[in-house]
Every structure is written in C-alpha cells, then in structure tokens.
Amino acid sequence: MIEVKGVTKRFGDFTALDDVSLEIPDGSLTALLGPSGSGKSTLLRIIAGLEVPDTGTVVIQDEDVTNRPAQKRGIGFVFQHYAAFKHMSVRDNVAFGLTIRKRPKDEINARVDELLEVVGLQGYQKRYPSQLSGGQRQRMALARALAVEPRVLLLDEPFGALDAKVRAELRAWLRRLHDEVHVTTVLVTHDQEEAMEITDRIAVLDGGKIEQVGAPRELYDNPSTEFVMSFLGPVTKVEGALVRPHDLSIFTEPVDGGIEAQVLRVVHLGFEVRVELVLGGGEEVSVQLTRAEAEQLEVADGDIVYVREPRPAAAPSA
Amino acid sequence: MRTDRKTRWGLRLVALLYLALLLLIPVGVVLYRTFEPGIGAVWDSVTTPAAVHAFQLTLTATVITVPLVTVFGVLLALVLARGRFPGKPLLEAVVDLPFAISPVVVGIALIFVYGRTGWFGQDLADAGIQVIFSLPGIVIATVFVCLPFVAREVTPVLREVGDEQEQAAATLGASGWQTFWRITLPAIRWGVAYGVVLSTARAVGEFGAVSVVSGKIAGETETLTLLVEKRFNNFDLAGAYAASALLALIALVTLMAMTLIKPRREEA
C-alpha cells in the first residue's frame, strides 16, 4: 500500500498540493485524475521521490520513504515524453536498471528478452529510440521501468503525447498488462475516459486538493461535488441543478414534473442524438437520446416539448 | 521569386567578399609568403631552438589548459543549466567575463595578484613558486581566456536535452555519479567536443594576456604567438611568416577536427 499523509507542496506562491492524504491499495490500478494545475503530477512525483514535499509523509509498503531519494524507493516511473536514453539501444535502455545493479550478463539478457516480449517489442533489441514510433518508445520505457521489479509503477500521463488511435490501443494493453503483472500502479491523467476505462480506482484532484476517491462507477453515479460530476462526464443544468444529459427525458405532451422548453436544434451524432433546448427563462439544456428514442419522438427545431428527469438528480443542487 | 533569388545571391556575394577580404586573402598571403623562399628555408626557420621551444611551450600550455577548462566548463554548465539558486544571472555574467575583458587587462590583473609585488606574489615566491614570467602564469592566463568556451557550448545542450533522462536514471537506481557518466555525459558529448576544439584553438592562439604575464623570455617563456610578434618586430619577415604558418597549421588541424565532429553533432 502507498500512503500519502498530509502532503503540502508549494512552488513559490503557487500551492501545488494542499494537505493531501491518499491511500493506494496493493495491486490496484489507480488514476490521479484532474485538470492541468490540479497537482496530480506533483503528487505522483512526490510518491516517486522526484519532488520533496514541504510537509507530510509518504509510506510505501509500511516503510516511511519521505526522506529517501528516488533511486532507493523501488519504484518504476514512466514519463509523458518517454525519457528514452537516446544514445542507448533498446536492449541497453531496458537493461539499464539491471546493469546499474551489476547483475550477471546472462541474467540481464534473459530478463530483457522476456520483458520485450511482454511489451511486444521482441526483436527490437538493437534498434535505437530514434528508430521507434512514439507508442513503441513508451512500451520500451515501460519495459525499462518493469525490469527492476518495482514495488510501485508510476505513470505520468504516459499516453499524453500519442495520437488517439495508439492511445486507445495502449490503454487496453496497459490494462491487460496490469492484470498479468499485478504491480501496484498509479496513473496520472487528465483524460476522464482513460481513467474510467482502465483503472479500478480514481482519485479526482482539483486545485491541489483531493475531491473524491472511489471506483469509476461510484464516482460517475454518486459524485460528491459538482466538480467531480462535471469532470467525469457531460453535464447540463436544469433549473440550477446539474444532471447528465442522458438522464433527461423528452415528452411531446405535458407531463408531471415536466418543464416546458423549445427545441433549438437536433444534432445527430451517429447512434446518439443530442437535442438542445431552451427553457422559458432562456436557460439552455442539452438532452442525449438514443436514435430510436429520437425517431419515436419526431422532434424538430422550434417544437415545444416537456423535459423531465426520470430519476432524482444525482448531484447536489448548486 | 526572382528578386528573392537575386537578394540571396547578393547576400552570398557580400558574405564571401567579406570573408575573402578579411580572412582568406590575408591567410593566403601568409602562406604564399611563407613558402616564397622555398621549403628548406621554412624548415630552418621553424626548427631553430627558439622556435622549437616556443612550439613546445605553446603545446604544453594548451595540454594543461584544455583539460582544466573542460572539467570546469562542464561543471559550470551543469550549475547554470540545472541549478536553481539566487545570483544565477550574476554567475552567467561572470562566465562571460573573459569574452568581455581584453586579454591585456587579464594579464595586467594577473600581475597585480600574482606578481612579485602582488597580493600573493611574495608568499608564492617564498614557497619557491614563480607564477608570473613562467609557465604557471601562462597557463593561468590561458585558462582565464578559454574558460567560457566549454561552458557556453554545453549549457544550451544541457537545457535542450532536459533532465527527464536523468530523472529516469535516478528512478532506475542510478546514483548521481552513475547518471552523470552513463546519461548526462553521452548526451552532451558533442557539445563538450566542440567546446574542447574551440578552447584548443583559442589556447594555441592566445596572445594578449600571455604577452603580459610571460615576460617574453626567448627560449623560456616565449610562446609561438610571441615568437611571431618578435620576429615581425625585428624585421625577420620570413621567420614571422614561417612561425605564423605553423600556427595556422595547428588551427587548421583543430578546425578540421571540428568539422569532423559537426555532422555527428547534428545527428545526435
């Protein structure tokens, strides 16, 4: 388990982390999710020992490592921009941690081959980082971090520099890898979809504080603050309350609890249909329907409809 | 488009003319004049005891100076590129000082400090060390004027490379020393090499500061550049040309080393 207790970190006048405490269970894949400047990367770097907190402690597997330098924490770290050792071959990159530990050459070679197979780079031993694609470099960096059998794997926006397609592939791949390797993993991301898709726990950060921690589903369904609700998925405001656009229903006849609205625009997004409405007070609301629902309703621009939440609002009112 | 091409050729012509008038023609004339009396005369002129000694002295000073400024330069570059401390702009300015100060001033300043009547002069003399008018003075003066080259070449390379690779090495268990040798130095090697070449060229050609602190004692503290000056002043033009040609040759070899380094540097 990783325990962060009462950690505060300031850079000049800027408070990156404000009295943050967090527990990360062994074997979990946890996301630190938040907008830029929320302190998520700083928190990860403090766990790694690449940054020293002003106050507070970091405990990894019951050992207080607060004052221990990064090289003695038993961690693996993956950087957004790969941090590949450009002058070394793929083999030497992956072998680096083992070479430093002066392991026998046979053992190193065997381990490197094994890891390159795990990350799908078998046969790339002699290439140089400049001859690899971004996704391949990041997989090499992962193999390099895993080579030293870290107690904790820390990933700082690992897919942030990759294009959308490669990013999606690597996400799924990382999830499978974690299921095989089971090393406690912390992933920093600003992409809620990424966090929802591959992690089993999410800690949402904003302004240097942790807003909420929980399973992705739990956070999505029961967000404790407006910030968490709006960060984890699309939201729209109905009479001051935040709701998810897909939780709203549209009726062509007046219904109990329905609010009269006029259709501004109907946007077809493949399987989904987004209906943009304007309420009597000028408030704009967006409703998400399936294509079948939209076809049944036959709403068009300018129609008067009635909008209602089928369930009580999940979010606290503003 | 056509005017563009005209402008481009015009600019090239101006640049080439400028180079020719200020550099190529004078150097060419020196070489031409050197070999005018024949190769035998040149050989005699550069193998006189004074010339041989001057050549040796210049090489000795260079061989001591360049490693010193390389180590200091890399250290300074690390401090400038990686350090976060108050007064850093001041240090940056101090590093550039040798570029700004005339070498003659450097020489005079060194005499003030290390000369017989200078601050440390008497103590050093009592300890049996003579700095001014001997090799240590020549080396100190050369180190002073050569100091910025390695630091100025390496600092931007360090900044460009960034410190992520070093951080990655640290998370993989490498100590600071291991990280420097295995990660940092290979990443900046072409910058260092370039700085070494420039320092070498400067050390060999240094005149002003050395002229003040060396005392110009023939066969003792007379470097190659000082020999050229002396011969020139004594109307021994052929001798001056020959010694100049030797200097130019050393410079040429150094520059060729630099050209060999350059393409690899771009690729890195």
Side-chain angles (χ1 to χ4, degrees):
Chain A
M1 187 155 78
I2 307 171
E3 294 167 81
V4 175
K5 289 179 208 158
V7 162
T8 297
K9 177 72 183 177
R10 287 188 189 84
F11 296 105
D13 293 337
F14 177 71
T15 303
L17 291 173
D18 186 5
D19 193 21
V20 165
S21 296
L22 176 67
E23 289 185 358
I24 295 159
D26 275 336
S28 72
L29 175 47
T30 301
L32 303 179
L33 175 68
S36 59
S38 60
K40 55 192 191 305
S41 277
T42 306
L43 181 55
L44 192 80
R45 293 173 61 82
I46 283 175
I47 296 172
L50 293 173
E51 217 70 75
V52 182
D54 298 333
T55 60
T57 55
V58 177
V59 176
I60 298 177
Q61 291 177 354
D62 298 322
E63 277 180 87
D64 186 338
V65 295
T66 315
N67 296 312
R68 205 185 283 183
Q71 56 258 43
K72 291 184 182 146
R73 288 197 183 189
I75 52 141
F77 201 99
V78 173
F79 297 81
Q80 179 176 1
H81 298 287
Y82 330 123
F85 300 145
K86 292 189 183 118
H87 61 285
M88 290 185 196
S89 64
V90 169
R91 186 256 173 209
D92 290 346
N93 262 279
V94 177
F96 187 83
L98 301 170
T99 314
I100 289 290
R101 285 167 179 72
K102 300 202 166 56
R103 297 279 174 80
K105 211 171 177 179
D106 294 347
E107 186 194 320
I108 295 179
N109 285 335
R111 181 93 180 115
V112 169
D113 291 348
E114 180 195 327
L115 278 163
L116 287 181
E117 202 168 324
V118 170
V119 301
L121 286 177
Q122 56 270 49
Y124 283 72
Q125 275 87 339
K126 287 186 179 142
R127 298 258 191 124
Y128 279 82
S130 59
Q131 298 167 304
L132 301 180
S133 70
Q136 289 172 329
R137 279 184 221 182
Q138 199 56 301
R139 281 184 281 151
M140 179 193 82
L142 252 157
R144 183 176 71 182
L146 288 171
V148 295
E149 293 179 350
R151 297 188 288 182
V152 175
L153 184 60
L154 306 169
L155 313 170
D156 191 2
E157 302 253 11
F159 313 132
L162 302 169
D163 62 55
K165 189 165 168 281
V166 180
R167 192 156 60 210
E169 279 169 21
L170 276 193
R171 267 186 208 162
W173 174 82
L174 178 69
R175 179 70 238 184
R176 282 200 308 278
L177 181 78
H178 182 262
D179 292 340
E180 281 169 33
V181 187
H182 277 303
V183 57
T184 310
T185 304
V186 186
L187 168 90
V188 160
T189 180
H190 64 267
D191 181 345
Q192 48 85 21
E193 208 181 293
E194 185 168 292
M196 303 275 290
E197 186 180 322
I198 61 173
T199 64
D200 19 71
R201 274 163 52 89
I202 298 177
V204 181
L205 281 94
D206 185 38
K209 285 179 175 296
I210 290 190
E211 293 275 315
Q212 194 177 0
V213 185
R217 182 82 195 266
E218 193 184 320
L219 261 58
Y220 190 85
D221 291 340
N222 299 306
S224 64
T225 63
E226 273 198 6
F227 176 81
V228 174
M229 177 153 184
S230 56
F231 202 74
L232 280 184
V235 287
T236 191
K237 222 169 213 178
V238 180
E239 300 195 318
L242 278 183
V243 286
R244 300 256 182 244
H246 55 73
D247 282 344
L248 293 171
S249 307
I250 291 179
F251 302 89
T252 44
E253 299 296 320
V255 285
D256 218 23
I259 304 159
E260 195 182 276
Q262 187 174 23
V263 177
L264 272 182
R265 193 163 34 178
V266 181
V267 187
H268 293 269
L269 302 160
F271 174 71
E272 288 166 3
V273 176
R274 193 171 74 227
V275 184
E276 287 168 13
L277 307 170
V278 58
L279 303 188
E283 202 180 1
E284 289 189 20
V285 173
S286 127
V287 179
Q288 193 181 314
L289 305 173
T290 64
R291 206 156 121 181
E293 284 170 341
E295 273 166 12
Q296 207 182 351
L297 279 169
E298 290 182 344
V299 286
D301 297 6
D303 285 0
I304 298 295
V305 293
Y306 301 87
V307 59
R308 189 181 73 174
E309 293 175 50
R311 286 178 272 162
S317 55
Chain B
M1 210 57 204
R2 196 175 287 169
T3 26
D4 265 4
R5 189 176 292 170
K6 263 184 197 162
T7 323
R8 216 161 45 222
W9 280 103
L11 280 173
R12 278 181 198 169
L13 198 68
V14 168
L16 279 175
L17 266 176
Y18 181 82
L19 264 181
L21 284 174
L22 289 174
L23 206 73
L24 298 176
I25 294 175
V27 172
V29 167
V30 164
L31 287 176
Y32 174 71
R33 282 294 173 82
T34 304
F35 293 101
E36 216 176 11
I39 195 96
V42 175
W43 182 252
D44 290 345
S45 181
V46 296
T47 49
T48 65
V52 170
H53 188 271
F55 182 66
Q56 282 171 344
L57 182 63
T58 292
L59 282 191
T60 310
T62 305
V63 164
I64 299 173
T65 300
V66 171
L68 279 176
V69 296
T70 305
V71 172
F72 278 132
V74 171
L75 275 175
L76 268 173
L78 280 171
V79 169
L80 288 178
R82 297 281 188 263
R84 269 184 276 177
F85 55 92
K88 197 162 132 183
L90 198 71
L91 183 65
E92 299 238 14
V94 170
V95 171
D96 285 338
L97 213 55
F99 280 154
I101 298 181
S102 162
V104 177
V105 178
V106 174
I108 291 169
L110 287 177
I111 288 186
F112 275 137
V113 178
Y114 297 104
R116 195 155 276 282
T117 54
W119 288 0
F120 309 134
Q122 199 54 51
D123 298 335
L124 286 168
D126 290 347
I129 303 164
Q130 196 193 350
V131 175
I132 301 301
F133 305 146
S134 87
L135 182 65
I138 295 173
V139 170
I140 293 175
T142 316
V143 165
F144 193 102
V145 293
C146 292
L147 199 59
F149 289 101
V150 173
R152 277 286 160 239
E153 276 298 316
V154 173
T155 309
V157 180
L158 272 173
R159 289 203 172 116
E160 193 197 313
V161 170
D163 58 357
E164 269 203 348
Q165 290 185 51
E166 291 164 12
Q167 290 179 9
T171 63
L172 291 165
S175 67
W177 193 243
Q178 285 170 321
T179 303
F180 176 76
W181 284 107
R182 287 167 188 266
I183 306 299
T184 314
L185 196 57
I188 61 173
R189 62 197 189 279
W190 301 122
V192 174
Y194 201 66
V196 165
V197 168
L198 289 176
S199 303
T200 307
R202 188 77 174 89
V204 170
E206 173 49 26
F207 175 77
V210 168
S211 141
V212 175
V213 299
S214 71
K216 307 178 186 173
I217 307 161
E220 279 186 44
T221 62
E222 193 173 60
T223 64
L224 214 44
T225 48
L226 299 178
L227 180 75
V228 172
E229 189 215 16
K230 190 181 79 180
R231 284 182 172 176
F232 187 75
N233 286 344
N234 292 345
F235 302 105
D236 175 11
L237 287 187
Y241 286 141
S244 300
L246 191 58
L247 267 173
L249 187 75
I250 300 174
L252 210 68
V253 169
T254 329
L255 285 174
M256 267 161 61
M258 185 170 81
T259 322
L260 285 179
I261 286 165
K262 240 183 175 172
R264 298 213 218 171
R265 188 176 174 236
E266 278 158 16
E267 160 200 315

